[in-house]
Amino acid sequence: MSLKKLLIGASIASSLFASTAIAEPKVEVLHWWTSGGEAAAVKVLMDEFAANGGTWTDMPVAGGGGEAAMTALRARVLGGNAPTAVQLKGPSIQEWHEEGALSDLSEVAKAEGWDKILPDAIAKIHKCDGVYCSVPVNVHRVDWMWGNASLLAKADIKMPTTWAEFNDAADKLKSMGITPLGHGGQPWQDATLFDSVLLGVGGVEFYKKAMVELDLDALGSDTMVKVFDQMRKLRGYVDDNFSGRDWNLATAMVMNGEAAFQIMGDWAKGEFTNAGKTPGNDYLCAPTPGGGYLYNVDSFAMFKVDGDENQAGQKLLAKLIVGEKFQTAFNLSKGSIPARMGTDLSDFDYCSRRSSYDMAVSSANGSLLPSFAHGMAVRGVFSGAVTDVVTNHFNSDISSAEATKALVAAVKNAE
Ligand code: BGC
């Protein structure tokens, strides 16, 4: 055989070898799941990734709601050293895509049939210019109220179905020396209360106008004044030491009988589950007063990185996240429900089954709404501006009318 033929043969063999050599999948994952329930849930993903031959480097950044994690992400990207996989939310997925930062996941999406498995509304959030650029982990419901079962029984109080009922219950609890509302004083937690209060007091159409369309008339309306009035009421129901408290410590107050209620998304249920508590027995769940359903989807986006091992890791992680096994095991721990359609919910508790049922109903009647507080409704610049006003009002004595004016001004300035 001539030398030339030999060389050609060798080069074909080596290129074949290169393309068939299997890179060991690796990921570095930036997320903000650091509470007890959150850490138990993320461990499900770590274990499954390892069971499939992957190596996981964890990059947890503490701070509920993810603000600190997003600051860490920006620093890493600016330093030219993006993590391979990042927990992101709704519109921020598009913002990172516009920066050219996200990998195209269409190959995995096609192989796994994501278009057939994911509901259209969820698939849409995870596509950038029509191509999958991120994957959904779950659906959290934000407009939930959690109650300590024995405290409420002691006070002869049922889970309130209107804000007036809530206020009456809270006044009664207060007169009995019980803290009505477990709350942590951090801006995103104040915004989480605001989400539910605004939906309950203003209704579905008002929520859409004010929080999704940022309509200035709705933002400056008398209805908004009433929303701030109810926020002021809630401020009167929290204990003196709430400032700076983490959300999971507020959940622990409800768990331990130090507060009767918490208004928080169903990641709070992950805390109850992790502590071995069951709904109906130890705690009660009910949607906050008013109609509708505020959704908050946790997603992972894969950032553009070099290296076969990293890219293999991204593909494996994306595939596992949408897989049925993971969607069930993770969400049982996390308090949320699977994003994947048709997942069997028989092992889930009644709060989760209620969430799934209400989501289907609200999707059919147009009341399925993106959570403003959890970055699903509007881009970061607007949610930051609105959150500032909400938290300033909650932590000062300004009137509802002044807060309403400030809200309009903040949104105008952010435009
Ligand atoms: C996330 C949840 C998380 C919660 C508290 C929310 O924005 O969607 O997954 O548990 O913040 O950290």
Side-chain angles (χ1 to χ4, degrees):
M1 196 185 289
S2 72
L3 182 64
K4 194 174 168 197
K5 270 194 185 153
L6 257 180
L7 282 175
I8 292 171
S11 109
I12 290 173
S14 79
S15 68
L16 263 181
F17 180 74
S19 62
T20 52
I22 299 171
E24 187 204 324
K26 271 188 177 171
V27 281
E28 187 195 9
V29 186
L30 170 60
H31 62 89
W32 64 91
W33 288 329
T34 55
S35 74
E38 291 174 332
V42 79
K43 188 168 179 305
V44 172
L45 187 55
M46 284 181 192
D47 289 350
E48 209 187 341
F49 193 68
N52 282 275
T55 306
W56 173 295
T57 305
D58 207 29
M59 191 187 167
V61 180
E67 209 182 318
M70 292 302 98
T71 307
L73 172 63
R74 274 187 292 276
R76 286 285 300 263
V77 174
L78 280 175
N81 178 28
T84 37
V86 178
Q87 183 186 353
L88 284 184
K89 284 300 182 54
S92 73
I93 297 172
Q94 306 302 323
E95 289 172 18
W96 282 110
H97 165 68
E98 285 158 20
E99 299 291 325
L102 304 188
S103 301
D104 175 345
L105 298 177
S106 45
E107 197 187 308
V108 198
K110 217 164 159 206
E112 298 294 310
W114 289 353
D115 272 342
K116 286 190 220 95
I117 296 170
L118 299 174
D120 287 348
I122 290 188
K124 210 170 120 200
I125 300 169
H126 297 88
K127 288 183 178 176
C128 300
D129 294 326
V131 170
Y132 279 99
C133 57
S134 54
V135 282
V137 174
N138 59 2
V139 181
H140 271 304
R141 182 178 197 170
V142 175
D143 50 321
W144 274 121
M145 189 178 280
W146 311 95
N148 176 298
S150 54
L151 278 186
L152 295 185
K154 187 171 147 201
D156 195 18
I157 287 170
K158 294 209 168 39
M159 291 299 270
T161 55
T162 63
W163 286 104
E165 262 177 47
F166 178 85
N167 297 341
D168 289 346
D171 287 337
K172 184 171 182 188
L173 289 158
K174 222 174 155 175
S175 72
M176 293 169 70
I178 299 169
T179 300
L181 188 62
H183 183 62
Q186 293 170 342
W188 74 271
Q189 294 189 61
D190 301 336
T192 301
L193 295 183
F194 188 70
D195 250 5
S196 286
V197 169
L198 192 137
L199 175 62
V201 171
V204 169
E205 288 315 312
F206 181 72
Y207 186 96
K208 276 188 201 161
K209 281 254 161 253
M211 304 320 288
V212 183
E213 294 165 25
L214 296 174
D215 177 276
L216 294 176
D217 290 339
L219 290 169
S221 63
D222 291 347
T223 308
M224 190 60 82
V225 175
K226 293 198 182 104
V227 171
F228 279 112
D229 285 347
Q230 179 59 31
M231 288 296 287
R232 180 62 71 230
K233 279 265 184 204
L234 294 186
R235 175 66 179 82
Y237 297 141
V238 304
D239 65 313
D240 290 341
N241 301 321
F242 79 105
S243 191
R245 174 188 292 140
D246 285 323
W247 67 273
N248 51 318
L249 299 182
T251 311
M253 289 173 73
V254 177
M255 233 183 264
N256 302 333
E258 290 157 32
F261 294 109
Q262 184 185 20
I263 294 171
M264 185 50 65
D266 44 21
W267 44 95
K269 190 159 71 69
E271 295 303 298
F272 287 113
T273 306
N274 192 46
K277 309 280 182 199
T278 51
N281 265 330
D282 306 303
Y283 68 97
L284 306 175
C285 64
T288 51
Y293 183 113
L294 295 176
Y295 67 84
N296 168 26
V297 177
D298 284 311
S299 314
F300 275 96
M302 309 299 157
F303 275 58
K304 281 186 185 151
V305 286
D306 292 330
D308 289 350
E309 293 178 329
N310 293 330
Q311 288 163 7
Q314 293 181 319
K315 284 183 191 151
L316 176 61
L317 190 68
K319 177 182 149 176
L320 295 178
I321 285 176
V322 185
E324 197 158 5
K325 184 167 170 236
F326 165 76
Q327 290 269 328
T328 304
F330 176 89
N331 286 303
L332 276 169
S333 251
K334 188 71 172 68
S336 37
I337 55 172
R340 184 185 167 116
M341 289 190 287
T343 311
D344 179 12
L345 293 185
S346 48
D347 286 342
F348 284 73
D349 60 36
Y350 79 82
C351 310
S352 288
R353 289 205 294 272
R354 165 102 200 241
S355 173
S356 172
Y357 175 80
D358 285 356
M359 185 175 156
V361 171
S362 60
S363 167
N365 71 18
S367 64
L368 181 62
L369 301 163
S371 158
F372 146 77
H374 291 274
M376 300 301 299
V378 291
R379 291 185 169 231
V381 55
F382 293 108
S383 52
V386 172
T387 300
D388 283 352
V389 175
V390 169
T391 203
N392 283 342
H393 168 263
F394 201 75
N395 292 291
S396 70
D397 288 331
I398 67 167
S399 70
S400 301
E402 282 169 307
T404 301
K405 264 198 204 129
L407 196 61
V408 173
V411 170
K412 269 191 186 157
N413 280 342
E415 266 166 6

